[in-house]
Structure formats: C-alpha cells, structure tokens
Amino acid sequence: MNSPVVLYQCIQLIFLIVITSLDATRLGTPKLDPLGPLILEESKSTIAVAPVSEDFRTFYYNQTLDHFNYRPESYTTFQQRYVINSKYWGGANASSPILAYLGAEQPLDPALSRVGFLTDNAWHFKALLVYIEHRYYGQSIPFGSREEAMRNASTMGYFNSAQAIADYAEILLHIKEEFQAKNSPVIVIGGSYGGMLASWLRLKYPHVALGALASSSPILYFDDITPPDGYYSVVSRDFREASETCYETIKQSWDVIDQVALQQNGLSILSDKFNTCIPLKSSSGLKEYLDRTYCRAAQYDRPPTYPVNAICNGINGAAFGSDTLSKIVAGVVAYEGIQPCYVNPPTNFTETDEGWEWQRCSEMTIPISHGNNTMFPSSNYDPQPFIDYCRTEYNITPRSHWVTTYYGGHDIKLDLKEFGSNIVFSNGLRDPYSIGGVLEDISNSIVAVYTANGSHCLDILSANETDPEWLITQRKIEVEIIDAWIAQYSANLHE
C-alpha cells in the first residue's frame, strides 16, 4: 500500500474479524485502521494534506526474526524500516524525550503525514520523533520477499504482536544508543491495533518506554469481555442519534432488499436501483456493502464531513414519496459522492488485507455479531465458520484466548492498578470500537480520556483549523499528562 488510493481501497470493510448472518465468514468487516478512508474524506474537504517533510530520514535496522527462540533459524535477520525526525529535538544532554509511533497493519508511509500528534507537539516536548514499521508490512519484510514471507503458516509464524513489540523495543534501545540518549524518556504512541501495541509495550517493556498513548485501542474486545454485538450497537446508536427517521429507514431496508431479491428479475432490479458495477449474484453482496458503508461512516465519523450525518441527510432528503430503497441509494450517493457505479467496484487485495487476515486467524480474533437490538439483521456470534476458514486457508486454528492470556484483560482494573502505570487510553465514543476500549481510569496514572463526539483515532491525527473545541481539549489533556510523566521522570533522574 504505497498511496492514499490503495489505502482507500483496502479500507473497503473496516476491521476484519467477524462472523454474521450476512456471510458465513465476514472476511473484511469491520476493520481496525488508525487512518481510515482518509482519501474519501479529503476529496470532500478543502483541507490540504501536507506532503511528507524533508526532515524525515529513513533507516533500516537489522532485526532478529524470532526473539523468543534459540534455534539457528531464529537468528535470521531482516531489514526493518524506521524513520526519524530530529528537527525539534532538544538533544541527549538535555534528556529531551523521544516520541515513538508504533506502526500498525499497514506500510508506514501514510502515518508520516497524517498522524500529526507527534509533529504537532514535537516543538512543545523538544522531542526526537521516531516512526517504526510493523514487521511483514511495507518494506519490513522477512525472508527476502513478500511472496516468500507470506508463503505458508511456517513463514508467517513469526508474524504476531509479541514479535512486533519486541521489534519496537529493540529498535528503540538501538536508537537511544546511537544518539547517546540513555536518559531520554520514550513515549510510545499508536492508534487502533497500534494503540494496543503501545499499551502492551509499556506493560511488557517498562524499562524501554516511560509511557504510552493508546488511541482507540479495543484491548477489551477479546474473549467474552465485551458483548459480541457491542460494535454494531454503537453504529446503530450513532445513526439513531443523528436521525430517528434515518435509523428506521435503514432498519427496514434489509427486509425490503430480500423481498425485492425474491421477485422475478429481482437481482436485476436491485442492480439497476443501486447502479452496481457488476450485476448482483445475490442480495448478500448488496447487504454486505451497505453494512460496511454504515460501519465505516460511524467508525470514522470525523469533522468536518461527519459521514453519519451525510448519509442520514441523503436518506431524509430523498424526493417526497421515494420508496425505501431509493432513500438508501440517496444515502449512499451522499456519502460516496457521484461515482460511475457503486456496491462492487474493482479493488485490489492489498498487503494490509493479506497481513491482517493472517493476524486475525492466529491471535487477533475479535468476536463481533449484530445482536438483536441494532438496525442490522439479527445474528448470534458463531465462531465455527471463521475457524473452518482459517483451517482451510492456513491449516491453523485461531488462538482466541491467547491475547488475554499473554496481555491480560478480564480483570484489567484489578490486575493493572497495583503494578501498571503511565498509559493514556483515549477514545471517541462515536467509534464503535470504543465499546471494547478502556473508558474508566484504572489508577492515577493509567487513565481514560474520551470525548462523546470523537471517532476512531481522531485525537492522534493532524490538527487543523476546523477542529472543534472538544477535540482541541482532548489533545491538550493528553499533552499535559505526558508532560507530567516527563517531569516526574526528570525529577527522579536528578535525585
């Protein structure tokens, strides 16, 4: 994924983990992604996206393939990419901090210009900025090539979160040594899956990172901690708060689609109605597309475009007397804009899709279903179709309990209150994944910072002049908390 266009193509879902009645495996909905469909938002906004600054310098670290085994093949290495911006760094002599962005399930490139929390605050902290790419994504590929790295479960067996945070720890220690910055505190920052990694790195490697800002990281959406229908409950709530009429129209539309599909030439009628790029072969394809659209709009319901409102304005603004499906089409067009066709445009199966499909089949198995009290067709969570898919595709069974075994989560407040420290869990409550996030303070230094109107990873994206006051305040609070960590560290350093 080397361009925003491909980023948009790979987001034609929004996080990856789950099984519902629309399709037995639900291989792409809904997806974790810190950036989301930014190219779509940018096309509707007058806000210019800044090019990547010349202040960024790219490096490659000779990374260990397997940090947790001593077999000879474990000592194999690969080139892992990281990027440094030292423009505002106060220097090692001043023990100035290091802000480190932990790459998630995509190449590092989009984050350099879009994850603005680091660059926006570098001058304030006098910080050295570091961005590290996740193994198996972008240019950080083991085994010499992507084809070889993704060949089978044996070569992909080194592709997991524990290896990733060990990578990050090793590179950060290397950078501190290279810059002779032994006493420079490190703050790790990540969003979505990257936010999980940031919080887990702080817990597993407290000697490496002084603190972590974990944005929109649903670390409690594993096992049975969060109800499977939580995600879709929040999507439904977002639409209902935007417009009761819009909510009811969407809720009724699923049955209408099925009824039309049963008519003679019903699929042709639906194809014409929605101007599909290719004729529909079943009503499920259309329903999956609408499901993804509503989820994407809710998860990334960001200013200034506010996609949920855009969809509802389209539905409610349809011509007087319009039938239900005409209203749904109007909502799609209001969100997507005028396009040659809709529903099933040609897309590429990107490296993000490929990589995350493996990650969710191995350890990142988040149980999600529609439930009975949403605007979507009712379904109960059934893991078996997904398990069957992973066995067929990779010859492995998902380790659905491993994340909570390795990182914890079931009794997180009790577990972390005594020994954990210096983590900010930030969320926006319009983000459906916030329901699996930490929304209450665990201790004085493991805190929850959230906004009622925020969306997925919004707080770590670049600030701009259209930002509402509540977003400005959220970021200010996060900066103040990190300031306090660094001040306490400095005081301890000079005792």
Side-chain angles (χ1 to χ4, degrees):
M1 185 171 66
N2 296 318
S3 73
V5 173
V6 181
L7 173 63
Y8 173 60
Q9 289 174 339
C10 82
I11 198 79
Q12 292 289 330
L13 77 343
I14 340 179
F15 181 30
L16 47 211
I17 288 170
V18 90
I19 305 153
T20 73
S21 61
L22 292 184
D23 184 288
T25 54
R26 294 307 306 258
L27 294 184
T29 306
K31 180 182 179 183
L32 277 174
D33 186 327
L35 302 181
L38 281 174
I39 190 67
L40 179 64
E41 295 180 15
E42 290 158 8
S43 68
K44 300 177 182 180
S45 173
T46 58
I47 300 170
V49 178
V52 176
S53 167
E54 294 180 356
D55 298 318
F56 291 96
R57 293 185 296 154
T58 300
F59 300 87
Y60 294 89
Y61 180 72
N62 206 34
Q63 187 61 265
T64 304
L65 177 65
D66 185 359
H67 298 285
F68 307 109
N69 201 299
Y70 295 93
R71 298 170 62 185
E73 58 267 33
S74 297
Y75 289 86
T76 301
T77 61
F78 66 96
Q79 296 293 292
Q80 185 166 12
R81 180 169 56 151
Y82 64 97
V83 175
I84 288 179
N85 182 340
S86 58
K87 181 177 181 179
Y88 294 102
W89 193 40
N93 290 337
S95 300
S96 294
I98 299 170
L99 301 184
Y101 176 77
L102 307 186
E105 71 282 17
Q106 58 189 205
L108 192 59
D109 308 82
L112 300 179
S113 60
R114 290 174 171 82
V115 179
F117 186 90
L118 286 78
T119 49
D120 291 345
N121 294 294
W123 62 271
H124 172 84
F125 292 112
K126 295 181 174 58
L128 179 71
L129 306 184
V130 177
Y131 303 75
I132 312 175
E133 190 166 63
H134 195 294
R135 58 167 56 200
Y136 284 79
Y137 291 108
Q139 298 177 27
S140 302
I141 309 298
F143 299 107
S145 70
R146 177 166 302 283
E147 182 180 19
E148 184 63 21
M150 306 298 287
R151 181 165 55 88
N152 55 39
S154 293
T155 56
M156 289 188 288
Y158 307 98
F159 187 2
N160 58 64
S161 62
Q163 298 281 8
I165 61 174
D167 290 343
Y168 297 148
E170 191 166 318
I171 289 177
L172 288 169
L173 291 176
H174 167 74
I175 290 171
K176 293 185 75 171
E177 183 177 350
E178 287 290 298
F179 282 81
Q180 299 181 333
K182 177 183 177 181
N183 293 326
S184 290
V186 175
I187 308 298
V188 291
I189 297 163
S192 201
Y193 167 58
M196 297 185 198
L197 297 177
S199 65
W200 293 337
L201 188 147
R202 168 59 186 165
L203 294 173
K204 294 291 188 180
Y205 299 92
H207 59 289
V208 175
L210 172 68
L213 170 56
S215 176
S216 300
S217 55
I219 63 169
L220 303 182
Y221 219 142
F222 295 93
D223 276 358
D224 57 352
I225 302 172
T226 297
D229 66 351
Y231 182 97
Y232 279 95
S233 296
V234 176
V235 175
S236 300
R237 185 198 67 199
D238 289 350
F239 276 86
R240 195 164 202 167
E241 288 179 351
S243 166
E244 181 73 27
T245 302
C246 172
Y247 169 88
E248 291 295 338
T249 299
I250 294 172
K251 188 174 183 178
Q252 296 164 10
S253 69
W254 311 108
D255 286 340
V256 176
I257 290 171
D258 286 337
Q259 291 166 10
V260 173
L262 291 173
Q263 298 175 16
Q264 186 175 8
N265 298 322
L267 294 178
S268 295
I269 294 171
L270 290 173
S271 297
D272 291 340
K273 191 82 171 179
F274 284 86
N275 187 24
T276 63
C277 298
I278 58 176
L280 293 169
K281 296 181 179 179
S282 69
S283 63
S284 63
L286 173 59
K287 291 193 290 184
E288 288 169 21
Y289 166 78
L290 293 172
D291 181 287
R292 290 194 300 269
T293 298
Y294 302 141
C295 290
R296 190 167 64 243
Q299 188 164 318
Y300 303 102
D301 195 32
R302 300 167 176 162
T305 55
Y306 292 108
V308 170
N309 285 341
I311 291 174
C312 284
N313 289 340
I315 289 174
N316 295 337
F320 179 76
S322 296
D323 59 26
T324 296
L325 293 189
S326 295
K327 293 177 181 178
I328 297 298
V329 170
V332 168
V333 174
Y335 175 62
E336 300 278 16
I338 303 298
Q339 303 291 334
C341 58
Y342 300 89
V343 180
N344 43 19
T347 58
N348 296 324
F349 188 67
T350 69
E351 65 181 76
T352 292
D353 298 326
E354 183 182 24
W356 193 254
E357 194 165 308
W358 161 262
Q359 287 194 262
R360 68 193 184 93
C361 266
S362 52
E363 62 173 349
M364 304 302 294
T365 54
I366 296 179
I368 299 180
S369 64
H370 284 159
N372 298 317
N373 298 305
T374 72
M375 67 180 190
F376 299 88
S378 176
S379 69
N380 294 318
Y381 178 68
D382 176 11
Q384 195 58 50
F386 181 64
I387 291 172
D388 293 342
Y389 167 80
C390 295
R391 287 173 176 168
T392 300
E393 188 71 13
Y394 302 110
N395 196 30
I396 64 168
T397 300
R399 295 182 180 178
S400 58
H401 305 293
W402 177 243
V403 164
T404 53
T405 299
Y406 191 65
Y407 300 111
H410 280 285
D411 298 302
I412 190 168
K413 193 163 188 176
L414 181 64
D415 293 341
L416 298 188
K417 188 172 184 179
E418 297 302 324
F419 83 90
S421 64
N422 293 3
I423 303 174
V424 172
F425 289 103
S426 65
N427 281 281
L429 298 188
R430 295 190 69 78
D431 171 18
Y433 274 113
S434 66
I435 200 163
V438 176
L439 300 177
E440 295 181 359
D441 291 353
I442 292 175
S443 67
N444 290 335
S445 63
I446 302 182
V447 297
V449 178
Y450 62 85
T451 57
N453 295 317
S455 58
H456 201 62
C457 298
L458 181 58
D459 59 314
I460 64 170
L461 299 185
S462 300
N464 62 68
E465 60 185 16
T466 65
D467 288 339
E469 192 61 36
W470 51 262
L471 177 56
I472 295 171
T473 299
Q474 182 182 21
R475 289 173 176 149
K476 181 180 179 181
I477 291 171
E478 292 164 4
V479 169
E480 289 174 349
I481 292 171
I482 295 172
D483 270 335
W485 295 344
I486 295 172
Q488 184 61 58
Y489 171 86
S490 181
N492 294 341
L493 189 64
H494 295 97
E495 281 184 351

